[in-house]
Amino acid sequence: MNRTPHHHRTTERQDTTSPAYEELLVPVPGGELTVLRWPGTDPGAPVVLALHGITANGLTWARVAHHLAGRVTLVAPDLRGRGRSGHLPGPYGIAAHADDMAAVVGALDLGRVVLTGHSMGAFIAALTAVRHPDLLSGLLLVDGGVAFPAPTHLTPDELLTAVIGPAMRRLSMTFPDRQSYSAYWQRHPAFAASWSPWVDAYVQRDLVGEEPELRSSCGIEAVRTDGVDQLGEEVSSAVRQLPRPAVLLWAERGLMNEPQGLYDEQRLASAGLDPELVRTRFVPDTNHYSIVVGDDGARAVARHLLAAAGVTETED
């Protein structure tokens, strides 16, 4: 297969406070994956490959890019079945995403990368590290990557709804215009205190179709397949088989900004992680989303990415 990416096109929409990015098209099985790239100031800067969550898109990482401030090149795909890669067919599943990431690294000639992922993206990052260890120079997991035993009495769809709730329901909704979609997200408890031009651009990227029937770009089949696969043995065991040490950042609060986050000290202790392989770091005053899209969370993520890339941090 020809792995040469198409010539990039610069994004049409640029927020004045958000760094400019490019879009690339990378051949993968079944079509082309859309990949966002925030170039480093130095062409030889280290590269971070950043993977978004189960119903998100590559613009999840825009605020992190802002705090990286050109000290590294940040590459963030719209994963298969989401965003401008929403048209890509299956097979879906975490291993398929991991192999897509290997295709991105090869097509863009990225060399070794610092791999990071948020939520489901952290599970993909961990499995990518296991399946393609030669791609890796560092690994940062953000509020994801460590699974816990699932309740056996729930069907896969019930389990997904229990875990990601409104995100799953959103996929079958339609919206009359873009403003109503922004309003929908602004009411979300996790975003109410962290709304910004970065977040607005991120949610707008998710919309496809025409008014008055705009809808999410995320394919329900892709989300269902990936969500169930995320709970399987191959994926959940990846964090225990990493080829190099990783850092896991965990948010204080949950998906709906509830006090109980996905992780806490007790849950992480019960997971039995090798402390030499996975170092855990608490990020206070963040929820599952704001740890990436909020200012304090994005700054913390950027700081850890710079450390993983071996870049000396200066004030941003």
Side-chain angles (χ1 to χ4, degrees):
M1 178 185 295
N2 178 14
R3 294 291 187 186
T4 304
H6 283 195
H7 183 72
H8 73 261
R9 59 186 188 276
T10 303
T11 49
E12 297 174 6
R13 175 197 172 108
Q14 296 294 349
D15 293 306
T16 56
T17 52
S18 185
Y21 59 89
E22 308 163 330
E23 288 193 33
L24 313 174
L25 296 175
V26 173
V28 292
E32 292 174 319
L33 199 70
T34 298
V35 179
L36 284 61
R37 178 169 64 185
W38 287 265
T41 305
D42 178 353
V47 177
V48 171
L49 179 59
L51 315 181
H52 63 70
I54 192 167
T55 64
N57 60 69
L59 272 186
T60 297
W61 298 97
R63 200 155 200 170
V64 172
H66 167 74
H67 286 296
L68 290 170
R71 288 168 284 184
V72 301
T73 290
L74 180 65
V75 176
D78 284 346
L79 295 172
R80 181 181 295 265
R82 287 90 173 163
R84 292 179 188 166
S85 303
H87 61 283
L88 278 172
Y92 303 109
I94 307 303
H97 292 302
D99 293 347
D100 283 347
M101 295 310 100
V104 168
V105 171
L108 301 181
D109 196 21
L110 300 180
R112 286 180 176 263
V113 299
V114 174
L115 194 59
T116 188
H118 170 242
S119 195
M120 182 190 77
F123 288 91
I124 300 170
L127 191 62
T128 302
V130 171
R131 290 173 71 91
H132 305 282
D134 293 343
L135 303 182
L136 213 61
S137 65
L139 181 61
L140 179 69
L141 309 175
V142 183
D143 221 38
V146 179
F148 300 98
T152 55
H153 64 282
L154 298 180
T155 68
D157 273 9
E158 288 171 337
L159 187 57
L160 276 180
T161 300
V163 174
I164 63 173
M168 189 71 177
R169 290 192 292 274
R170 184 183 92 246
L171 305 189
S172 58
M173 297 171 64
T174 60
F175 298 84
D177 52 44
R178 290 185 169 273
Q179 186 176 359
S180 66
Y181 199 51
S182 290
Y184 170 86
W185 279 107
Q186 285 176 281
R187 292 191 298 270
H188 192 294
F191 288 86
S194 58
W195 192 258
S196 68
W198 287 277
V199 177
D200 192 40
Y202 150 67
V203 302
Q204 291 295 329
R205 186 177 180 83
D206 182 46
L207 283 179
V208 295
E210 300 291 335
E211 297 182 2
E213 291 192 352
L214 297 168
R215 58 180 176 81
S216 170
S217 64
C218 300
I220 291 178
E221 181 192 352
V223 170
R224 181 178 290 121
T225 302
D226 293 346
V228 172
D229 192 41
Q230 188 175 295
L231 304 170
E233 176 61 27
E234 180 188 18
V235 177
S236 61
S237 66
V239 73
R240 293 172 175 80
Q241 301 169 15
L242 298 175
R244 62 180 304 127
V247 173
L248 166 64
L249 304 181
W250 54 279
E252 180 174 2
R253 302 173 74 85
L255 279 80
M256 300 297 289
N257 202 41
E258 67 272 32
Q260 175 62 59
L262 289 182
Y263 303 109
D264 57 33
E265 290 183 0
Q266 184 176 351
R267 287 181 178 184
L268 289 169
S270 71
L273 299 173
D274 179 350
E276 298 297 316
L277 196 58
V278 182
R279 291 180 293 131
T280 62
R281 296 290 182 268
F282 173 58
V283 184
D285 301 320
T286 58
N287 62 47
H288 179 68
Y289 294 100
S290 68
I291 195 172
V292 174
V293 303
D295 193 59
D296 291 343
R299 184 183 288 109
V301 171
R303 185 171 65 249
H304 282 274
L305 288 174
L306 291 170
V311 176
T312 302
E313 187 178 9
T314 56
E315 288 298 316
D316 58 25

